[in-house]
């Protein structure tokens, strides 16, 4: 079984380098020099380009450099993955659109028709990153009122209905959240591949839902031993329910010709941290809260921002990335060979797919596709390891 | 006021000239060879219906229509996906996507609409339809009561508009709720998609008077349309608002009236529709094709149809949503033989009035 490697679409724009945050691409940083597209190039009028044109460049770079496609995340402040996918369907050839969304926001019958149409528009290149989301005020911002404790049950029901109408046979369903009567996709939309599902969420309720519907269980990078345990647990639980599930890791990387050059990127970014970022970190390090994941991160995090090397928690793994940009804290830093080796380490401990990212996503898609991916052995590396011990 | 012309793309299959059979151009129903063995076919499985939809959108823009309407047809491809796909293929057209208020969270729909606006630089519009048939609603996973159909549209539009234009927006309705809603940063300040509503009931009119930007009327004889327009305008005035009037009508236009009538009759025969005896001034009511959803077809020569459309404009119609089969070929025909003279006729009339 060969592994699949995806890239990521920077839906909230990005700086042109992790070294500093000036020259931000896209209109998200709200500062002078925003947006690679300069409004008014054509005599004071709009120039006809939008941030989608940059996103299109990244998607094409990803497909040209050998990635399967890209994760298109969804945040309150960013453009929507369904929209991006339909707009770029025709402009790309092999790029697979991994749409992040919360099932609760859509009627599942409509979602089935959207999905089948997108499969037709892209010739089968749509897949999902199903997020279930928290409860409370954050969900209400989205207009989602389902009670907190039921949300995974609703995700399961949503996917039940999506699959149910997919066959084209008359489908009825009496769930707690969704009911349908004699529903089916129209003939014109039948016969498309059902989208692969990447599923996130760690609780028992999440695993129960994942084990029924997901092809891949998706996790951020965690300390390697911890990740191995997590993947083992997911695979065991799913096997107990008579199904197989694969595992995927979503991780940022900084790969350069030499390890020294890679760490230089980190060091420059670390030295250029502004006061606001330092203040944010201080608050984070002193915080107390009830989130298990967050407190686990804090327990290993340095109390002060003295040296970037204090954040190295494993060979080639740096846990300070969230200082340089939003998102997860841990990333893989090293030479092309080292990064490929760490990815192969992750394959050995259970990963079957990756969603990689690096800033800026356009140039880095080419670099990673040309320099790192050709060195990754995938499951071919597994027997060698077993022979050693 | 410039009158605008939309072309409706057929999401559930197209037809051929005066041919009632549905065709999904670009894709095969089965794997049987399409040509006889003596002729090579280079296409393989490279194309499907989306390639045809793309061709139609390009044709609509080249033929100088103002916009494209993507119908919500549960038997066809989904309208938002088609609208996004076609938006990227066009530069100037307004893209009017129709959908049902049962599609999900109003906030999520609004958030997607904001992306459509950002990606098209403000060319996106939406038409929120209502499915009157209860069994069909349940097929769509929608168990709302009949009496709640329009109240739900009202809540949908209210929430969607407010989260696009404000922040810190709270709403606690019967169908939609939101807490501290509203889009920030680059998602803020986008134009609310113009809201198109339709329907011929008192309830539909009342709602449009209250919150539609455009009310789209079904095709009917001119005098009936004129009185409907008057009614809608009066209702809107009582809310201290104005709204525009749209008209959804199909066209069957040929060089001569004789040719047009011949094709219309052949079409009626093929579909088992009775000889049309209630057509007034070229408006063949009830001559419908399964895929367009229009209630009537204007049949006639280029000049006749041009004059009749101008008469509707004179009665107050400001947005025409036209359709015909086959969509691509007829978009060119209307763009070449009807729109130029029609536009100059309408502009001439409005200049004289001024």
């Amino acid at each position: 079984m060969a592994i699949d490697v995806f890239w990521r679409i920077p839906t909230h724009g990005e700086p042109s380098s992790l070294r500093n945050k000036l020259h931000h691409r896209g209109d998200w940083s709200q500062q002078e020099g925003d947006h690679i597209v300069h409004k008014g190039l054509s005599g004071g009028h709009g120039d006809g380009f939008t941030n989608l044109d940059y996103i299109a460049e990244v998607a094409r770079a990803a497909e040209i450099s050998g990635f399967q496609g890209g994760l298109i995340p969804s945040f309150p402040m960013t453009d929507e993955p369904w929209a991006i996918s339909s707009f770029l369907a025709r402009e790309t050839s092999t790029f697979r659109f991994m749409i992040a969304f919360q099932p609760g926001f859509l009627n599942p019958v409509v979602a089935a028709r959207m999905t089948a149409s997108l499969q037709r528009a892209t010739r089968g290149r749509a897949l999902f990153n199903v997020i279930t989301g928290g409860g409370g005020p954050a969900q209400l911002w989205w207009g989602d009122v389902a009670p907190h404790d039921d949300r995974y049950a609703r995700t399961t029901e949503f996917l039940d209905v999506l699959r149910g109408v997919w066959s084209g046979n008359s489908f009825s369903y009496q769930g707690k959240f969704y009911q349908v009567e004699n529903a089916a996709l129209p003939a014109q939309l039948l016969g498309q591949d059902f989208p692969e599902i990447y599923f996130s969420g760690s609780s028992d309720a999440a695993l129960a839902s994942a084990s029924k519907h997901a092809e891949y269980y998706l996790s951020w990078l965690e300390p390697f031993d911890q990740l191995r345990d997590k993947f083992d647990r997911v695979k065991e639980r799913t096997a107990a329910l008579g199904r197989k599930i694969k595992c995927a890791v979503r991780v940022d990387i900084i790969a350069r010709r030499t390890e020294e050059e890679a760490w230089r990127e980190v060091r420059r970014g670390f030295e250029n941290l502004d006061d606001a970022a330092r203040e944010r970190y201080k608050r984070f390090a002193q915080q107390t809260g009830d989130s298990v994941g967050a407190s686990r991160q804090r327990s290993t995090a340095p109390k002060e921002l003295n040296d970037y090397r204090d954040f190295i928690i494993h060979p080639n793994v740096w846990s300070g990335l969230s200082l340089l940009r939003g998102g997860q804290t841990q990333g893989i830093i090293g030479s092309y060979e080292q990064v490929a080796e760490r990815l192969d380490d992750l394959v050995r401990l259970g990963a079957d797919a990756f969603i990689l990212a690096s800033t800026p996503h356009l140039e880095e898609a080419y670099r990673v596709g040309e320099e790192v991916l050709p060195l990754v052995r995938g499951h071919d590396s597994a027997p060698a390891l077993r022979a050693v011990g | 006021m410039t009158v605008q012309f939309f072309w409706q793309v057929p999401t559930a299959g197209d037809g051929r000239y005066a041919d009632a059979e549905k065709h999904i151009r670009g894709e095969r129903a089965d794997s049987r060879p399409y040509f006889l063995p003596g002729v090579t076919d280079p296409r393989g499985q490279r194309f499907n219906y989306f390639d045809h939809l793309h061709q139609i959108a390009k044709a609509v823009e080249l033929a100088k229509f103002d916009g494209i309407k993507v119908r919500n047809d549960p038997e066809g491809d989904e309208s938002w996906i088609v609208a996004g796909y076609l938006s990227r293929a066009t530069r100037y057209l307004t893209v009017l996507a129709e959908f049902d208020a049962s599609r999900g969270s109003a906030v999520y729909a609004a958030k997607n609409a904001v992306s459509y606006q950002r990606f098209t630089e403000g060319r996106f519009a939406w038409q929120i339809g209502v499915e009157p048939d209860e069994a069909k609603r349940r097929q769509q996973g929608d168990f709302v009561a009949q009496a709640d159909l329009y109240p739900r549209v009202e809540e949908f539009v209210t929430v969607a508009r407010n989260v696009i234009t404000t922040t810190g927006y709270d709403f606690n309705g019967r169908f939609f709720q939101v807490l501290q809603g509203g889009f920030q940063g680059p998602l803020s300040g986008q134009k609310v998609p113009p809201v198109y509503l339709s329907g011929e009931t008192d309830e539909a009119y009342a709602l449009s008077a209250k919150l539609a930007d455009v009310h789209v009327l079904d095709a009917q004889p001119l005098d009936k349309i004129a009185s409907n327009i008057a009614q809608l305008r009066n209702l809107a005035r009582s809310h201290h608002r104005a709204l525009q009037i749209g008209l959804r009508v199909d066209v069957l236009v040929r060089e001569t009236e004789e040719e047009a009538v011949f094709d219309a009759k052949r079409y009626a025969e093929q579909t088992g529709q009775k000889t049309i005896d209630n057509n007034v001034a070229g408006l063949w009511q009830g001559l419908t094709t399964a895929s367009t959803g229009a209630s009537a077809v204007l049949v006639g020569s280029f000049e006749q149809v041009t004059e009749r459309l101008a008469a509707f404009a004179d009665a107050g119609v400001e947005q025409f949503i036209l359709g015909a089969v086959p969509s691509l070929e007829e978009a060119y025909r209307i763009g070449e033989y009807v729109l130029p003279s029609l536009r100059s006729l309408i502009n001439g009339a409005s200049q004289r009035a001024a």
Side-chain angles (χ1 to χ4, degrees), chain B residues 33-41:
Chain B
Y34 199 73
F35 294 162
L36 294 175
V39 177
T40 57
D41 187 340

Side-chain angles (χ1 to χ4, degrees), chain A residues 154-354:
Chain A
R154 184 178 61 178
T155 294
T156 305
E157 283 194 11
F158 177 92
L159 294 169
D160 287 345
V161 175
L162 205 65
R163 281 193 202 275
V165 300
W166 201 261
S167 69
N169 300 319
S170 180
F171 175 77
S172 297
Y173 190 82
Q174 273 293 331
K176 183 173 171 190
F177 299 95
Y178 303 112
Q179 297 82 41
V180 293
E181 238 172 64
N182 307 318
L185 281 181
Q188 187 178 319
L189 272 60
L190 293 180
Q192 302 297 316
D193 287 339
F194 193 79
E196 271 186 335
I197 294 171
Y198 281 63
F199 199 98
S200 321
S202 306
S203 67
D204 282 354
L207 291 178
S209 187
S211 57
K212 185 169 181 190
H213 284 293
E215 271 74 33
Y216 286 89
Y217 177 79
L218 178 62
S219 173
W220 279 3
L221 183 63
E222 293 182 10
F224 283 31
D225 288 341
Q226 201 173 303
L227 200 57
R228 184 200 309 272
D229 292 345
K230 194 173 176 184
F231 286 169
D232 285 349
R233 207 166 62 237
V234 169
K235 287 183 176 177
E236 260 170 46
R237 283 204 50 136
T238 313
L241 289 154
R243 241 182 125 250
K244 278 198 166 171
I245 194 163
K246 289 178 273 191
C247 291
V249 184
R250 160 72 198 96
V251 58
D252 274 31
I253 60 178
I254 299 177
R256 293 293 182 269
R257 184 173 291 277
T258 65
E259 179 176 13
E260 194 190 352
E261 290 170 85
W263 285 115
R264 188 185 301 152
E265 290 300 307
V266 169
R267 180 166 57 80
R268 284 276 168 78
F270 191 82
E271 287 167 358
N272 282 335
L273 284 179
D274 57 20
D275 292 345
R278 291 178 171 278
E279 191 51 40
R280 266 199 306 279
Y281 183 78
K282 214 167 140 188
R283 279 203 303 276
F284 162 78
Q286 293 165 354
Q287 224 171 29
T288 52
D290 57 3
S291 164
V292 177
S295 67
R296 204 156 54 195
Q297 275 184 16
R298 267 195 303 277
S299 66
T300 57
K303 294 280 171 279
E304 302 285 337
L305 289 173
N306 293 324
D307 189 318
Y308 77 93
R309 281 170 293 211
D310 296 343
F311 289 83
I312 300 174
I313 58 168
H314 183 92
N316 302 113
V317 177
W318 198 59
S319 66
L321 268 177
S322 55
L323 290 165
L324 307 187
R325 49 118 191 81
Q328 63 174 316
T329 59
Q330 296 181 29
I332 301 176
I333 321 291
S335 67
Y336 299 142
E337 292 78 11
Q338 287 171 326
V339 172
E341 281 165 17
R342 294 297 82 76
L343 294 177
D344 277 332
D345 289 345
L346 291 170
V347 170
R348 285 187 209 102
L349 62 81
D352 306 284
F354 293 106

